[in-house]
């Protein structure tokens, strides 16, 4: 059953994991920490694009934006990456979509319309994320 | 020519032979992994390997090219991210600046 719905399960678990992680992590003093043991995690990873080219990639600041967004700090989240206002609802929609898709596939119901709608949503999110990135590069939106 | 044969031919001609969706996901994830912070290349590699295995079982091998391209691109994106983090990452820079902090004894 999992093999039959592999993509749906990956997207479902991935979406839940991203939202769950952004809830349990916290952002303070310019670094990301775990809520429980207060372990600093942001020093372990950096954006390769920013490290080499000294310019932000489309997803730069998204981790911090997600953490702040799930802690209801919307203005700060907007400053780090405005794309969070598009991606967060998309992830919530993904959870719903994938549950419906798994249910429909198990009952041998045609999923083509649902998949098409999901694809259009993904393209829309991608275009909006790139638009936010271009606005950042043009300094219309802040680069942090 | 028999009418049934004509109908069968038309139906066969109109059958859309779709590319394996896992191959496309793998390819796209590998490509996105090259240009963003998140290590989505790993997801791309996993999907591409699964798609390649599935296409080997399929007679027409639909999506085999996508799967191979996905494996190559995802591998490059993973190596690129690991290399950059290993060479220029904050942990390495901290270690270069102050090696004693990492080896107290």
């Amino acid at each position: 059953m999992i093999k039959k719905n592999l993509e749906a399960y990956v997207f479902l678990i991935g979406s839940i994991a991203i939202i769950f992680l952004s809830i349990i992590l916290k952002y303070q003093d310019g670094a990301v920490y775990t809520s429980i043991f207060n372990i600093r995690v942001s020093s372990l990873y950096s954006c390769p694009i920013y490290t080499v080219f000294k310019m932000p990639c489309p997803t730069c600041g998204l981790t911090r934006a997600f953490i702040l967004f799930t802690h209801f700090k919307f203005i700060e989240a907007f400053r780090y990456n405005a794309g969070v206002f598009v991606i967060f609802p998309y992830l919530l929609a993904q959870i719903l979509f994938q549950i419906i898709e798994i249910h429909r596939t198990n009952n041998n119901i045609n999923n083509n319309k649902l998949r098409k709608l999901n694809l259009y949503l993904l393209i829309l999110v991608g275009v909006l994320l790139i638009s936010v990135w271009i606005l950042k590069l043009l300094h219309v939106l802040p680069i942090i | 020519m028999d009418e049934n044969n004509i109908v069968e031919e038309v139906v066969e001609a109109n059958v859309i032979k779709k590319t394996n969706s896992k191959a496309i996901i793998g390819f796209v994830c590998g490509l996105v992994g090259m240009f963003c912070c998140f290590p989505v290349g790993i997801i791309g590699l996993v999907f591409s390997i699964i798609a390649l295995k599935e296409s080997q079982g399929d007679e027409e091998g639909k999506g085999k090219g996508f799967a191979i391209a996905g494996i190559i691109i995802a591998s490059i994106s993973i190596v690129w991210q690991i290399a950059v983090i290993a060479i220029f990452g904050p942990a390495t820079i901290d270690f270069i600046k102050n090696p004693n902090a990492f080896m107290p004894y």
Side-chain angles (χ1 to χ4, degrees), chain A:
Chain A
M1 196 177 78
I2 291 174
K3 201 177 175 185
K4 197 173 161 188
N5 292 312
L6 184 72
E7 296 107 301
Y9 276 110
V10 168
F11 285 114
L12 177 65
I13 294 166
S15 305
I16 293 169
I18 290 168
I19 294 169
F20 178 72
L21 277 173
S22 54
I23 290 168
I24 63 162
L25 292 171
K26 62 178 178 180
Y27 183 65
Q28 62 180 46
D29 307 328
V32 177
Y33 295 87
T34 57
S35 296
I36 303 167
F37 298 110
N38 222 30
I39 301 164
R40 187 178 160 156
V41 290
S42 57
S43 61
L44 303 172
Y45 190 81
S46 64
C47 175
I49 301 284
Y50 189 79
T51 311
V52 175
F53 301 110
K54 298 293 171 205
M55 67 173 216
C57 77
T59 55
C60 267
L62 209 54
T63 309
R64 287 165 287 178
F66 256 96
I67 294 165
L68 293 164
F69 191 88
T70 50
H71 291 80
F72 306 107
K73 294 172 183 171
F74 302 118
I75 296 165
E76 284 179 64
F78 182 85
R79 281 173 59 223
Y80 282 107
N81 195 327
V84 71
F85 286 88
V86 181
I87 297 175
F88 196 84
Y90 175 73
L91 286 184
L92 291 178
Q94 275 301 307
I95 294 171
L96 189 69
F97 267 146
Q98 302 306 342
I99 289 169
I100 294 168
E101 181 159 342
I102 290 165
H103 174 75
R104 287 171 74 103
T105 311
N106 289 341
N107 291 305
N108 294 323
I109 305 168
N110 194 345
N111 269 330
N112 285 349
K113 278 187 180 174
L114 192 75
R115 283 182 184 172
K116 208 173 250 184
L117 179 67
N118 205 359
L119 180 68
Y120 291 144
L121 263 180
L122 180 66
I123 292 167
L124 181 72
V125 167
V127 169
L128 287 170
L129 196 63
I130 290 168
S131 308
V132 167
W133 179 56
I134 292 167
L135 290 174
K136 265 183 163 185
L137 293 179
L138 294 172
H139 296 283
V140 178
L141 289 171
I143 299 172
I144 298 176

Side-chain angles (χ1 to χ4, degrees), chain B residues 35-96:
Chain B
F35 303 102
C36 78
C37 299
F38 297 101
V40 283
I42 298 165
I43 302 167
L45 188 66
V46 172
F47 268 108
S48 299
I49 290 167
I50 293 167
L52 187 65
K53 277 189 177 177
E54 282 181 4
S55 70
Q56 280 169 348
D58 185 12
E59 280 180 15
E60 291 175 359
K62 282 300 243 182
K64 196 177 179 181
F66 256 123
I68 293 166
I71 289 171
I72 294 166
I73 291 173
S75 307
I76 292 168
S77 82
I78 292 166
V79 170
W80 147 254
Q81 292 205 341
I82 291 172
V84 170
I85 291 159
I87 297 165
F88 304 108
T92 314
I93 289 165
D94 286 349
F95 176 73
I96 292 164

